[in-house]
Amino acid sequence: MKKTNLYYKTVFKRKEVAKDIALIILLFFMSWPRLLMEVFLRKNFGERYFSFTTVIFLSVILFFMPIGLDRALYYSGDTTFSGIVIRNITWYIYIAGLIYVSVLRQKEIRREIGTFDFSKFSAYDGDIQPAFYKIKIWGKEVNRRQISIFIEPAFLFAVGVILTLCIQKVGVLIILCSLCYAFSYQFAYTRGDHFILDTIDEMICNEEMVASFVDGRRPEETRGFEMRGNAPIDPAFRKQVIDNCIEQEPITEAL
């Protein structure tokens, strides 16, 4: 039986709906520029993580961006399609490379119709390049979290800066994508941290409710937990209140 602490869920785990929605929207849009870089750095994605359709959609947008920018900003000079392509040749080489590696990523996750792959988490965000694991910070090897938030974005940022110094628009694109890459992974790992902290806090709440509410112990004695609210005078009734704060959820068996 799974225990759900109604007091913790109601008092401590309050939902900030507007903030949660804003964060979800932000993560959604940041996932697009991250994908533009991730296909080059990682491979073997989960089938629900990588979307080839999204890559094609973003490639079409990227294809027309230099055309719109050049015709809006270049009041003199060659603004024909061929002239724009030649002036932004590295941009279009990038798009071609993006489609090529995305086809490779799609082949890696392809499965037969009607079958499911139980050997891999479907939301897996891909294998990291082994070379990144060899990097050391203060004499210690970096972990996956550090690589995702710092190492990979830093590598992309450096490439973007070099191309920008060479007066290539694609360099600015890579710089912006590298920042979205870092922030999106930071947000993702922070959400994971909060989930684990919520789980630990609920465990502590379950274990210390009786000591706090029934026995009247101070938070210094209950690992920082305090059950706020006026407690009934009768200890037996206080225990009865605690029992009703815990909801038993039946475990359903898979058929």
Side-chain angles (χ1 to χ4, degrees):
M1 302 289 284
K2 182 182 177 181
K3 294 181 179 180
T4 299
N5 192 309
L6 301 178
Y7 178 82
Y8 176 78
K9 296 286 187 184
T10 305
V11 177
F12 288 100
K13 198 177 178 181
R14 289 174 294 184
K15 293 290 185 181
E16 298 181 15
V17 178
K19 182 179 178 180
D20 290 344
I21 292 175
L23 181 59
I24 290 172
I25 293 173
L26 185 64
L27 286 173
F28 175 75
F29 284 106
M30 278 192 172
S31 68
W32 287 357
R34 187 173 90 185
L35 179 63
L36 293 176
M37 299 293 110
E38 216 164 26
V39 293
F40 291 97
L41 296 178
R42 301 187 181 188
K43 59 182 181 179
N44 295 322
F45 297 111
E47 67 174 282
R48 289 199 300 170
Y49 180 83
F50 175 76
S51 172
F52 186 71
T53 304
T54 301
V55 171
I56 297 301
F57 170 72
L58 295 175
S59 297
V60 172
I61 294 176
L62 290 174
F63 182 87
F64 289 103
M65 280 182 66
I67 299 174
L69 288 171
D70 281 17
R71 287 181 177 172
L73 300 177
Y74 284 80
Y75 297 101
S76 61
D78 189 0
T79 57
T80 62
F81 176 72
S82 59
I84 292 172
V85 170
I86 293 173
R87 189 162 49 246
N88 298 278
I89 189 64
T90 54
W91 184 284
Y92 289 100
I93 290 175
Y94 163 75
I95 295 175
L98 173 65
I99 295 174
Y100 173 74
V101 296
S102 295
V103 170
L104 297 180
R105 301 291 88 86
Q106 181 66 19
K107 288 181 178 180
E108 291 168 354
I109 63 173
R110 184 175 295 167
R111 60 177 172 84
E112 294 182 9
I113 297 175
T115 63
F116 294 93
D117 185 5
F118 288 89
S119 64
K120 185 193 295 183
F121 183 52
S122 66
Y124 178 47
D125 54 7
D127 298 343
I128 289 176
Q129 294 293 332
F132 287 131
Y133 282 112
K134 297 178 181 179
I135 297 174
K136 293 185 178 181
I137 298 178
W138 307 113
K140 295 182 179 180
E141 292 185 356
V142 293
N143 56 35
R144 189 179 180 91
R145 179 174 186 154
Q146 292 169 322
I147 292 172
S148 300
I149 299 174
F150 301 111
I151 306 300
E152 287 177 326
F155 171 76
L156 294 170
F157 189 85
V159 172
V161 168
I162 292 171
L163 289 171
T164 302
L165 292 175
C166 295
I167 318 177
Q168 300 296 315
K169 291 188 184 72
V170 72
V172 177
L173 173 67
I174 294 174
I175 289 174
L176 293 175
C177 288
S178 71
L179 296 175
C180 291
Y181 196 107
F183 287 131
S184 63
Y185 266 116
Q186 177 63 63
F187 291 148
Y189 276 103
T190 299
R191 289 182 71 193
D193 289 341
H194 283 298
F195 176 82
I196 294 171
L197 288 171
D198 284 338
T199 303
I200 293 172
D201 285 344
E202 187 170 0
M203 290 170 60
I204 293 174
C205 182
N206 288 338
E207 295 167 4
E208 300 291 351
M209 283 182 71
V210 173
S212 175
F213 192 71
V214 179
D215 301 337
R217 294 184 182 178
R218 296 187 295 271
E220 292 82 0
E221 302 173 291
T222 57
R223 291 182 284 176
F225 173 75
E226 177 185 8
M227 190 164 178
R228 304 186 180 103
N230 293 323
I233 297 175
D234 185 0
F237 189 53
R238 290 203 295 267
K239 180 63 170 62
Q240 205 173 12
V241 171
I242 292 298
D243 291 339
N244 281 275
C245 286
I246 305 298
E247 185 179 70
Q248 302 284 349
E249 295 181 4
I251 299 176
T252 56
E253 295 183 0
L255 296 177

